[in-house]
Amino acid sequence: MDPIEQPDILARFGQRIRHLRTEAGLSQEAFAARCGLDRTYLGGIERGERNVSLRNVEALANALILTVSELTKGL
């Protein structure tokens, strides 16, 4: 896919989070609790509506038992 045609980085990150969360068998609510984040905030991340801080990226990675670089791989 041409870089110009790729979805926005926030949308790609949100898709990756959703994929990894569902792969882990976690609901949004369970995953948000594991991350220490609000479920509605997590929903916004997954929809590509939130520009996530580095602290929250780290919390998401930790909850998935990944490094930040593993979480963001391919974005």
Side-chain angles (χ1 to χ4, degrees):
M1 183 178 265
D2 185 353
I4 295 172
E5 296 175 19
Q6 282 190 343
D8 177 76
I9 184 75
L10 298 179
R12 294 192 315 267
F13 183 72
Q15 290 167 0
R16 176 125 172 98
I17 293 295
R18 180 176 286 137
H19 171 77
L20 293 169
R21 173 184 61 77
T22 57
E23 195 173 69
L26 295 167
S27 67
Q28 272 190 352
E29 189 170 351
F31 184 55
R34 186 183 281 191
C35 296
L37 301 172
D38 186 85
R39 189 207 51 81
T40 58
Y41 178 72
L42 179 61
I45 292 170
E46 290 188 355
R47 290 188 302 275
E49 299 169 352
R50 297 290 188 154
N51 192 358
V52 186
S53 73
L54 284 174
R55 285 191 176 103
N56 288 338
V57 169
E58 183 178 49
L60 293 163
N62 290 341
L64 292 165
I65 312 168
L66 297 171
T67 64
V68 170
S69 63
E70 289 170 326
L71 179 64
T72 58
K73 185 177 180 177
L75 294 179

